[in-house]
Amino acid sequence: MSKFVDNIFTIHNNIFSLTPIIISFYKNYKSREKDILLAYFILPIALNPDVLDEIKNVTVKSNLTRLVTNKRFMAGFQDRVQQFQQITNDCLQYAIDCKYIEVDKKMSVKVTNKDILYTDSSLDSAINLASKLPKMFTLDVI
């Protein structure tokens, strides 16, 4: 039964449908040194339905403290980061291979192809949320 669950997870969370979520974040993010590390937070945040309503109205005045103090959001966050770690690695590699992004020597990500990629329409809210997340990653917080 465990293999069945793992296979369903793999089918549902494949790199072809999740890569656009990561790219939508970096399209709106002002590049900084080592910002590739932020990719590991994108999927756990954008794909968490419990906090989607909480953070969909993110503004420039919002910051990460708003999320960190939310117990519903933080419950299991470390597990979600670990769960999506390999998928995030695969999504980044796929995006690099397809020339959607470039990673320079300072480990900063630059989107090279801003065309909308094919995605599952059920992920529209996650893509929209990921495109708003850069507003929360301000210089004074990171």
Side-chain angles (χ1 to χ4, degrees), residues 32-46:
R32 284 190 280 231
E33 189 174 324
K34 298 181 184 175
D35 63 5
I36 194 168
L37 297 173
L38 295 175
Y40 295 97
F41 294 117
I42 299 167
L43 295 179
I45 293 172

Side-chain angles (χ1 to χ4, degrees), residues 25-138:
F25 171 83
Y26 284 109
K27 275 201 284 190
N28 298 310
Y29 181 74
K30 185 181 175 193
S31 186
R32 284 190 280 231
E33 189 174 324
K34 298 181 184 175
D35 63 5
I36 194 168
L37 297 173
L38 295 175
Y40 295 97
F41 294 117
I42 299 167
L43 295 179
I45 293 172
L47 296 175
N48 186 350
D50 294 334
V51 295
L52 190 59
D53 291 333
E54 172 90 22
I55 57 178
K56 70 179 180 183
N57 295 322
V58 165
T59 66
V60 177
K61 294 180 182 179
S62 302
N63 61 31
L64 288 178
T65 307
R66 178 178 170 185
L67 293 180
V68 175
T69 57
N70 183 334
K71 291 180 183 180
R72 266 186 14 169
F73 173 76
M74 290 307 293
F77 184 69
Q78 182 178 355
D79 293 335
R80 285 193 308 275
V81 169
Q82 289 175 346
Q83 181 181 26
F84 284 107
Q85 182 177 4
Q86 186 58 48
I87 295 170
T88 301
N89 288 340
D90 295 342
C91 288
L92 289 170
Q93 187 61 54
Y94 174 69
I96 292 168
D97 292 345
C98 292
K99 309 250 188 275
Y100 293 125
I101 63 171
E102 290 178 349
V103 180
D104 65 14
K105 291 179 182 179
K106 294 182 179 181
M107 301 303 288
S108 58
V109 177
K110 177 184 175 193
V111 176
T112 56
N113 185 350
K114 295 190 179 195
D115 294 335
I116 301 296
L117 306 169
Y118 170 76
T119 61
D120 184 359
S121 60
S122 66
L123 294 174
D124 287 346
S125 60
I127 290 172
N128 188 19
L129 175 63
S131 68
K132 292 179 180 180
L133 278 178
K135 295 176 185 176
M136 296 188 82
F137 292 96
T138 59

